[in-house]
Every structure is written in C-alpha cells, then in structure tokens.
C-alpha cells in the first residue's frame, strides 16, 4: 500500500475524532442542545486574581472594587505583601471574617484607610 493511499484512508478517521470529543464542562457528552456555553462553562469556575500579583495598583482604583465572598486561602503574610504591593503601608490588625475577606488598617498617601482583600486577590478600600 502506498503512502498516499494510507493517508487517504486515515484522514476520514481523523476528521471524525473532534466531533466525538465535544463535551460539556462536566465531562459528559453534550445532549439535548446543551453545550459549554449553556452549561455555565467558565462562569462556574472561580480562580484567584493572580494576573498582576507583583504590580502595584494605581492609586484610587481600590475604591471602585467590590470584594467577593469565598473560601480564602491567602495567609496573613501573603495578604500583607499584596496590600503593600498595592501601595498600602503600615498594614496592621489583619483579620479574616466569616465571608473569607481579609480586613486591615493601613496608610495610603499619608492617610489612614480600612482595606480588604478577597479570595481572588482583589484589594478595596472599605
């Protein structure tokens, strides 16, 4: 059997593989018109906001952030470092509440502020 003929026999099989591999986010085949788009897809997944963990936030942006409830795995040291990278100094009285949000007192631009950090790593003035 020639190489060209072998390729012609294998190509239809390869073309059928992607169609049989389409599944929803649960790993089950999509049925009844369900797809990743209608099953919750990426909206059902939450991850910490680690895109710019080492980049300080611009001054004043933390006032517009809404902190979200969730299981927070940040340690006290990690929270302190993230707040300091966001421009807050003299961070003290760090406490995590029942909603998983860390709260602290800090100084920013020479003024005292109450700040918080959620499970995604978002920082906000409270």
């Amino acid at each position: 059997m020639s190489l060209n003929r072998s390729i012609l026999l294998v190509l239809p099989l390869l073309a059928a593989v992607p169609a049989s591999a389409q599944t929803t986010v649960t790993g089950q085949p999509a049925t009844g018109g369900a797809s990743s788009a209608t099953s919750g897809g990426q909206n059902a997944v939450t991850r910490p906001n680690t895109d710019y963990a080492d980049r300080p936030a611009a001054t004043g942006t933390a006032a517009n952030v809404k902190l979200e409830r969730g299981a927070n795995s940040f340690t006290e040291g990690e929270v302190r470092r993230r707040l300091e990278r966001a421009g807050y100094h003299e961070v003290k009285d760090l406490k995590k509440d029942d909603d998983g949000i860390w709260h602290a007192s800090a100084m920013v631009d020479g003024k005292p502020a109450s700040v918080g950090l959620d499970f995604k790593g978002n920082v906000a003035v409270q």
Side-chain angles (χ1 to χ4, degrees), residues 7 17 21 27 34 40 66 68 70-71 76-77 85 93-94 100 104 106-107 111 120:
I7 291 174
V17 172
K66 183 177 189 295
E68 295 183 39
E76 186 174 331
R85 286 184 198 136
D93 302 325
L94 269 170
M107 297 291 286
K111 300 174 187 171
K120 290 183 176 181

Side-chain angles (χ1 to χ4, degrees), residues 33-82:
S35 68
S36 294
T38 60
S39 66
Q42 191 65 26
N43 295 333
V45 179
T46 55
R47 295 184 178 97
N49 180 7
T50 57
D51 294 341
Y52 304 105
D54 296 330
R55 186 182 299 174
T59 305
T61 59
N64 299 328
V65 175
K66 183 177 189 295
L67 299 178
E68 295 183 39
R69 299 168 54 177
N72 195 320
S73 61
F74 291 119
T75 65
E76 186 174 331
E78 290 170 327
V79 172
R80 185 177 304 280
R81 283 189 295 277
R82 283 177 176 264

Side-chain angles (χ1 to χ4, degrees), residues 69-116:
R69 299 168 54 177
N72 195 320
S73 61
F74 291 119
T75 65
E76 186 174 331
E78 290 170 327
V79 172
R80 185 177 304 280
R81 283 189 295 277
R82 283 177 176 264
L83 292 174
E84 288 171 352
R85 286 184 198 136
Y88 297 94
H89 306 283
E90 299 178 37
V91 177
K92 57 186 175 186
D93 302 325
L94 269 170
K95 291 185 173 123
K96 183 167 57 170
D97 67 16
D98 293 336
D99 291 332
I101 297 174
W102 282 92
H103 300 276
S105 299
M107 297 291 286
V108 62
D109 296 329
K111 300 174 187 171
S114 294
V115 294

Side-chain angles (χ1 to χ4, degrees), residues 2-60:
S2 72
L3 181 61
N4 287 342
R5 186 177 171 125
S6 297
I7 291 174
L8 290 175
L9 291 174
V10 174
L11 282 177
L13 295 173
L14 292 175
V17 172
S20 65
Q22 293 178 356
T23 61
T24 63
V25 292
T26 62
Q28 302 299 318
T31 58
S35 68
S36 294
T38 60
S39 66
Q42 191 65 26
N43 295 333
V45 179
T46 55
R47 295 184 178 97
N49 180 7
T50 57
D51 294 341
Y52 304 105
D54 296 330
R55 186 182 299 174
T59 305

